[in-house]
Amino acid sequence: SQQGEEDPQALSIQEGENATMNCSYKTSINNLQWYRQNSGRGLVHLILIRSNEREKHSGRLRVTLDTSKKSSSLLITASRAADTASYFCATSSDYGQNFVFGPGTRLSVLP
Amino acid sequence: EAQVTQNPRYLITVTGKKLTVTCSQNMNHEYMSWYRQDPGLGLRQIYYSMNVEVTDKGDVPEGYKVSRKEKRNFPLILESPSPNQTSLYFCASTLSTYTGELFFGEGSRLTVL
């Protein structure tokens, strides 16, 4: 069963603008992670936020988690053309048994 | 260098011809998993393994088999491939699903004619 659902499916912005992607999930989680995938390549881990955390920063990335709404957002500030990629959220269940990915958001940053 | 290695990276085969996609990790990770990625569907989990000799079905296990005889290896077996198994396959591993990030292989693009 699909756990994470990203929104929007596709996003196109100008270089320098901020990009926000959202992820919703259905059941209790242990942690939520965001990954990036350049076209056809393996996914690369960006950031992990635990269920007892509300916000986390890493460089130009900011992740928030609202467990009451079962949702998370990924904000990329001052975007660059090199940020063009697909972004996925993945949830680890409450018992840490499994990772489930959403369908992803395709981000295009135009120079 | 810490890595997850998949082979082959590209394969074209015919319906019914058994094939195995190998996955190996050198990080002593306990958890390993296989995903398939199809346009518009994101990553769907096929099978996962919490440790040696412990495997479980993901969301789309039909038509696939796995084994985990050693910690480092987690092969994906297609006993009788069909065209609907044409996809991009990823293997991933992590030390802990509670605290760890998933490390992904570079992917194996499989075409079944």
Side-chain angles (χ1 to χ4, degrees):
Chain A
S1 57
Q2 194 105 329
Q3 172 77 305
E5 295 281 342
E6 290 93 345
D7 167 55
Q9 290 186 350
L11 179 61
S12 185
I13 59 174
Q14 294 293 134
E15 208 166 21
E17 294 180 337
N18 295 342
T20 300
M21 289 158 268
N22 303 298
C23 170
S24 60
Y25 58 92
K26 296 174 183 169
T27 61
S28 296
I29 62 170
N30 175 271
N31 67 64
L32 185 144
Q33 304 185 31
W34 285 91
Y35 289 80
R36 165 196 168 119
Q37 182 186 33
N38 289 334
S39 181
R41 306 291 300 275
L43 280 72
V44 175
H45 180 261
L46 294 176
I47 195 165
L48 179 153
I49 187 166
R50 294 186 173 79
S51 59
N52 61 353
E53 297 176 313
R54 292 297 166 257
E55 187 170 312
K56 205 161 182 180
H57 296 253
S58 176
R60 293 185 295 113
L61 305 179
R62 187 186 84 142
V63 170
T64 62
L65 179 65
D66 186 336
T67 53
S68 67
K69 295 181 179 177
K70 291 186 169 60
S71 67
S72 171
S73 68
L74 171 67
L75 168 68
I76 304 174
T77 60
S79 62
R80 305 165 182 168
D83 294 328
T84 294
S86 291
Y87 293 83
F88 296 87
C89 70
T91 52
S92 170
S93 68
D94 218 10
Y95 296 97
Q97 292 174 321
N98 204 0
F99 285 101
V100 182
F101 284 79
T105 292
R106 192 168 57 253
L107 173 66
S108 297
V109 181
L110 307 174
Chain B
E1 181 190 351
Q3 58 186 3
V4 177
T5 304
Q6 298 179 224
N7 280 296
R9 295 286 315 280
Y10 302 91
L11 179 64
I12 300 174
T13 189
V14 295
T15 298
K17 186 176 182 181
K18 180 180 178 180
L19 69 92
T20 299
V21 186
T22 64
C23 175
S24 180
Q25 50 91 5
N26 62 359
M27 296 167 279
N28 202 35
H29 286 170
E30 293 190 347
Y31 177 97
M32 296 185 75
S33 181
W34 276 103
Y35 297 87
R36 62 177 287 174
Q37 186 175 31
D38 303 288
L41 296 176
L43 275 83
R44 293 180 293 167
Q45 190 176 51
I46 303 170
Y47 271 95
Y48 65 97
S49 171
M50 299 297 287
N51 213 327
V52 175
E53 301 291 2
V54 180
T55 62
D56 211 342
K57 296 177 181 178
D59 293 325
V60 288
E62 295 78 19
Y64 305 94
K65 284 175 57 178
V66 293
S67 67
R68 187 92 183 273
K69 293 184 170 57
E70 306 166 279
K71 201 169 191 178
R72 64 182 293 129
N73 296 323
F74 190 44
L76 179 70
I77 303 157
L78 286 73
E79 293 271 3
S80 183
S82 61
N84 65 11
Q85 293 179 297
T86 292
S87 188
L88 179 58
Y89 291 87
F90 289 102
C91 179
S93 72
T94 185
L95 184 62
S96 166
T97 55
Y98 285 104
T99 58
E101 63 183 88
L102 276 171
F103 289 81
F104 279 81
E106 281 298 305
S108 296
R109 187 169 292 280
L110 171 65
T111 301
V112 183
L113 301 176

